[in-house]
Amino acid sequence: MSNTSLLSLLRKRWRRKKTQSAARAAAGTAAEGSPSSGASSGSAAGKRTRRGRLRIVLATGAAVLIASLATAGAAAVWVRGLDIGKLEHPLPEPTLIMDRDGRPASQLSSSRIDPVPLEQIPADLRNAVIAVEDRRFYEHAGIDLWSTARALLRDLKSGELKEGGSTLTQQLAKNLFLQSDKTLSRKLKEAGYALKINATYSKDEILELYLNSVYFGEGRWGVEGAAEEYFAKPAQQLTLEESALIAALPKAPSVYSPLQHMDKALERRNLVLSLMKEQHFISDAAYDQAVSKPIVLKQRNEEESLKGKYPSYVDYVIQEAADLYGFTEEQILTAGLRIYTELDPKVQQAAQDVYSDDALFPESRPDQLIQSGTVLLDQTTGGIRALVGARGTQVYRGFNHATQLKRQPGSSFKPLVVYGPALERGYKPSSPLYDGELDIAGYRPRDWDGQTRGQVTLREAIMRSWNIPAVWLLNEIGIDAGVDFARRSGIELGAADRSLSIALGGLSEGVSPLEMAQAFGAIANLGVRQQAHAIVKVTTKEGLPLVEAKAQPAQVTTQAVAYTLTLLLQDAVKSGTGQAAKLERPIAGKTGTTQLPGTAEFADIGANGIKDAWFVGYTPELTAAVWIGYDQTDKNHYLTTGGAAPAGLFKEIMSRALQGVPSAPFTVPPDYEPEPELEPQSEPKSGPQPNVRSSWEQTLREKLGLGKREAKDTPGNSRGSSKGKNKPKEH
């Protein structure tokens, strides 16, 4: 309302009140005669009061009007200042992932990015998008206030800020200029950009920009790419029902993809058709005919397309490009980059083939799939040769169990926090270790078979994965030694991990398969850790270099210690808990399992229930880590098989990945000196009682040259104890 109309309205209200007041005064005179001086005085006071109120109303209205005009003016200036120049080049350029030989391995967007003029986009497709995404597109000014108000009301009722009410113009602005966070500031910026776009471009131009830039799933951007992806034809040739399916996808491409979820795609397509009929874009007869047709997909020959290949590896490349080199996801997906990687297609395909064979995995419960993640890398360079982050259907940027998972590693952690640092301090494979009843400040580990042997050699302890000797040995060398060796191996442990339970992999947070592969890769590489990485370099489409990876070797331990660990881990595969990983070539590795939490929920399951199962190992050519388990572990979802399952997966992947590669031995370092075997030690009939030093143990300590010192203080309820919540164990 203008200032003039506001004043006119207020004057009319004042005149009406004055007339009513005069009428009341006349009525009072007729009834009572001439007014007294007191009455006249009261009437004058009333007039002054009404005039004062009128002045307040006028002043308030003027202030509100001035504030509104000032706000509108500031908003207009802000909107005019927004930069939308990017819309002049809205179409994404395809980014290619190159393999280790410099050949294209995967593509992140459509292989055809040519603009499609609006007149070449079928009217049915344009109308379908408008019907489902923005029915008032040609009526509003970039922001649909009615839809926004309804969305705001829903948000107020739900108590959450959701994505409702966005117009096509707002979606275009969000996709090109803004992050996808659900915040009020982002929504305000989105609105500002939408107003600027609407004031700069015609409605048809905006629709053309939207249709050529929106994401339609399966790595496809724009209607031309979507038409090629799902129907192997240009957008210009799409039928009504095909157009409706394309229009159904932008809301949630992975959910409604007909390649992944045909039932949901059909339901969503028919919804679009019903909206088109409701809004009079199609007739009842056209609707009936289209809705009765099934979805018939026709895809190009897979060999001719790089789209969607190696999804887990590509997801990690995107993550690494963002985390290490500062690329935004939009730049990675649309800037026409050439990302050269360490990907080995043969190794990657071997891993993917294994993960697609359900018979190689333990049987899952019907309502939840046993998940898994694996990483294979070249230990001499740190280059990630292959990576699979999930079983089953994989979605773009879905959870990657190979790189994002954090789980306790169980006994596979022993070489990194116990046996590696012990060898550095003079222990030998034949060194005798204590294996009896043990109680250190309330921490009472148990061997997985429930038995004790009194004394075992270090070789036997690692080969059979006995728990008590590992905990006893970590206590002897000190927790600091174990934490330091893990740190040098690339695994940082926090203050909460400073307990003897780390000997059995009882960590507060856990580790990922990528971290474990990198750590074991240092052992395989004679004590030198190479930073695990996928990206070698990034260039423009024309070959202009943008970034390049730099080697960052780190010395973890000596060559002799690393090689001795390799020999011990070979024994674990040849004759110990890792026999399921054996191949007709040198293999070194370690299994690991963790028990179910010690809570009431799992009390009836017993000791055979397992939460996580690992195998981490290597050949002279490749290092790999494999994890399996349920995403959500509960009394109905847990493993019943231990390290043999991931060890078997390791064997299958390695046998296929190294097919045709001649077998070679592990390199013997020049500083390695073979150890003469010691005479077998006699075992006592029973081990010492808890917290009591026996003469046998003292003799053992003197033989090891460790003197007479007491056990170190450790938390009495550490993870891994018989009373802990997560008890790592070994099968």
Side-chain angles (χ1 to χ4, degrees):
M1 181 180 296
S2 67
N3 190 32
T4 302
S5 59
L6 177 62
L7 291 175
S8 176
L9 178 61
L10 291 174
R11 290 194 184 101
K12 288 179 181 179
R13 290 179 179 174
W14 178 75
R15 292 192 187 102
R16 186 161 54 249
K17 289 182 180 180
K18 184 176 181 181
T19 302
Q20 293 171 350
S21 177
R24 285 195 297 270
T29 300
E32 302 176 8
S34 299
S36 64
S37 59
S40 298
S41 176
S43 177
K47 290 179 180 180
R48 286 194 297 272
T49 300
R50 287 191 294 274
R51 288 171 182 169
R53 290 174 179 170
L54 178 60
R55 291 191 188 98
I56 292 173
V57 171
L58 288 172
T60 302
V64 171
L65 179 62
I66 292 171
S68 300
L69 291 174
T71 301
V77 171
W78 173 65
V79 169
R80 282 198 300 271
L82 294 173
D83 181 12
I84 59 172
K86 188 186 298 185
L87 288 175
E88 296 177 6
H89 306 283
L91 297 177
E93 288 283 339
T95 287
L96 292 179
I97 304 298
M98 318 297 285
D99 67 21
R100 63 189 300 256
D101 294 321
R103 294 174 299 197
S106 185
Q107 186 170 290
L108 297 181
S109 58
S110 173
S111 60
R112 292 190 63 188
I113 311 296
D114 295 334
V116 184
L118 193 64
E119 57 267 21
Q120 292 183 16
I121 299 176
D124 283 337
L125 178 53
R126 286 178 270 162
N127 293 334
V129 170
I130 290 173
V132 71
E133 295 290 341
D134 188 0
R135 66 172 61 196
R136 287 169 30 84
F137 172 70
Y138 281 101
E139 301 171 23
H140 58 66
I143 304 174
D144 190 343
L145 296 179
W146 176 250
S147 297
T148 301
R150 286 185 303 174
L152 179 61
L153 183 61
R154 288 195 298 267
D155 290 346
L156 291 174
K157 289 182 178 180
S158 67
E160 298 177 353
L161 187 60
K162 297 183 177 179
E163 285 294 319
S166 291
T167 65
L168 290 180
T169 316
Q170 287 174 273
Q171 292 179 46
L172 179 64
K174 180 186 70 174
N175 291 340
L176 293 179
F177 303 113
L178 302 168
Q179 301 293 328
S180 295
D181 55 312
K182 299 179 181 181
T183 62
L184 181 59
S185 63
R186 200 272 293 160
K187 293 292 289 183
L188 291 175
K189 290 178 182 178
E190 177 187 291
Y193 275 109
L195 291 172
K196 178 67 176 289
I197 293 170
N198 194 80
T200 306
Y201 294 89
S202 70
K203 287 292 186 180
D204 283 350
E205 288 173 330
I206 294 171
L207 183 59
E208 181 179 303
L209 289 167
Y210 177 86
L211 292 173
N212 280 298
S213 62
V214 71
Y215 183 60
F216 288 95
E218 305 299 331
R220 297 296 190 161
W221 299 77
V223 292
E224 187 75 0
E228 290 285 352
E229 173 64 29
Y230 299 108
F231 303 110
K233 64 172 67 173
Q236 193 172 13
Q237 299 176 11
L238 292 173
T239 64
L240 170 59
E241 61 272 13
E242 291 169 347
S243 295
L245 176 64
I246 297 295
L249 295 172
K251 179 178 176 63
S254 62
V255 174
Y256 299 118
S257 170
L259 297 176
Q260 310 295 338
H261 308 286
M262 180 61 78
D263 292 344
K264 292 182 179 179
L266 181 62
E267 181 181 354
R268 176 75 175 168
R269 184 206 70 174
N270 291 344
L271 171 63
V272 174
L273 288 169
S274 68
L275 291 173
M276 293 180 73
K277 181 182 74 168
E278 175 188 313
Q279 297 170 45
H280 308 293
F281 285 124
I282 58 175
S283 65
D284 290 350
Y287 167 79
D288 292 338
Q289 184 179 9
V291 80
S292 65
K293 294 182 178 179
I295 295 175
V296 180
L297 302 177
K298 183 180 179 182
Q299 293 185 276
R300 294 183 302 166
N301 188 332
E302 193 66 27
E303 295 181 358
E304 299 175 359
S305 175
L306 298 176
K307 62 89 186 172
K309 293 194 74 173
Y310 313 134
S312 293
Y313 197 100
V314 170
D315 280 355
Y316 182 69
V317 168
I318 295 173
Q319 178 186 334
E320 190 174 284
D323 293 347
L324 293 185
Y325 302 111
F327 288 97
T328 66
E329 185 169 330
E330 181 186 350
Q331 290 171 333
I332 298 167
L333 292 174
T334 66
L337 303 174
R338 299 296 180 262
I339 304 179
Y340 293 82
T341 72
E342 295 277 6
L343 172 70
D344 186 326
K346 178 185 176 182
V347 179
Q348 179 69 33
Q349 194 61 53
Q352 290 187 178
D353 288 346
V354 169
Y355 270 65
S356 65
D357 188 349
D358 290 342
L360 298 175
F361 288 82
E363 185 176 358
S364 303
R365 300 284 292 183
D367 58 336
Q368 188 181 162
L369 187 68
I370 290 176
Q371 271 301 341
S372 183
T374 188
V375 175
L376 291 93
L377 54 81
D378 179 349
Q379 57 261 23
T380 62
T381 65
I384 299 174
R385 294 285 185 255
L387 187 155
V388 179
R391 295 180 65 204
T393 301
Q394 297 185 48
V395 299
Y396 173 71
R397 301 306 301 275
F399 185 77
N400 196 320
H401 296 83
T403 62
Q404 296 174 303
L405 177 90
K406 293 287 187 180
R407 291 290 181 95
Q408 294 188 8
S411 290
S412 65
F413 211 51
K414 291 173 181 175
L416 303 177
V417 291
V418 179
Y419 298 116
L423 292 173
E424 289 182 328
R425 283 155 179 77
Y427 282 81
K428 305 294 182 183
S430 58
S431 295
L433 307 180
Y434 174 67
D435 182 29
E437 292 296 324
L438 189 64
D439 185 336
I440 303 177
Y443 183 56
R444 298 184 293 275
R446 296 288 182 267
D447 286 337
W448 56 265
D449 63 350
Q451 305 296 316
T452 60
R453 282 139 290 278
Q455 173 188 338
V456 296
T457 65
L458 189 149
R459 174 182 283 111
E460 291 171 326
I462 194 170
M463 184 171 65
R464 303 297 180 191
S465 199
W466 304 127
N467 290 338
I468 294 173
V471 174
W472 177 85
L473 183 55
L474 179 60
N475 188 63
E476 292 299 306
I477 65 174
I479 292 175
D480 286 343
V483 170
D484 180 60
F485 196 96
R487 178 192 57 77
R488 283 180 272 146
S489 300
I491 299 174
E492 295 288 343
L493 301 180
D497 294 317
R498 297 189 61 81
S499 69
L500 290 177
S501 63
I502 64 172
L504 310 183
L507 307 182
S508 58
E509 182 180 16
V511 290
S512 68
L514 178 60
E515 290 175 309
M516 290 297 286
Q518 179 179 260
F520 270 62
I523 303 172
N525 195 35
L526 291 177
V528 177
R529 173 174 57 85
Q530 298 284 5
Q531 185 71 31
H533 64 282
I535 296 174
V536 176
K537 65 178 179 178
V538 181
T539 73
T540 65
K541 181 173 64 174
E542 296 76 20
L544 179 67
L546 299 176
V547 298
E548 187 169 354
K550 303 294 184 182
Q552 298 177 334
Q555 192 73 40
V556 174
T557 189
T558 66
Q559 292 186 351
V561 166
Y563 183 70
T564 302
L565 267 178
T566 293
L567 294 177
L568 291 168
L569 294 173
Q570 278 189 277
D571 287 342
V573 173
K574 291 176 182 176
S575 308
T577 58
Q579 293 183 61
K582 281 197 298 187
L583 286 170
E584 295 302 318
R585 62 171 66 240
I587 299 284
K590 186 73 187 72
T591 54
T593 59
T594 60
Q595 283 182 304
L596 297 173
T599 61
E601 179 183 7
F602 302 102
D604 296 334
I605 296 175
N608 292 325
I610 296 169
K611 186 175 187 290
D612 306 287
W614 292 78
F615 183 83
V616 190
Y618 50 91
T619 70
E621 299 83 14
L622 294 172
T623 299
V626 182
W627 166 88
I628 65 170
Y630 280 104
D631 280 334
Q632 302 296 327
T633 302
D634 56 39
K635 63 181 180 180
N636 297 317
H637 302 91
Y638 57 89
L639 301 176
T640 57
T641 181
L649 293 173
F650 174 94
K651 174 183 178 179
E652 286 292 332
I653 294 171
M654 282 294 185
S655 64
R656 302 180 192 200
L658 297 176
Q659 186 175 7
V661 177
S663 176
F666 288 107
T667 301
V668 182
D671 62 340
Y672 172 71
E673 296 181 3
E675 178 205 17
E677 290 291 331
L678 298 179
E679 291 296 323
Q681 301 295 314
S682 60
E683 299 181 8
K685 294 182 179 180
S686 61
Q689 295 301 310
N691 287 330
V692 176
R693 297 283 187 182
S694 69
S695 59
W696 172 85
E697 182 182 359
Q698 188 58 49
T699 301
L700 176 60
R701 295 178 59 82
E702 292 173 355
K703 185 173 184 178
L704 297 176
L706 298 177
K708 300 179 179 180
R709 58 187 175 89
E710 295 302 315
K712 301 171 183 62
D713 291 336
T714 55
N717 195 25
S718 301
R719 289 166 303 282
S721 71
S722 58
K723 299 180 180 179
K725 293 183 178 180
N726 295 301
K727 299 176 286 183
K729 71 173 184 177
E730 189 62 47
H731 288 284

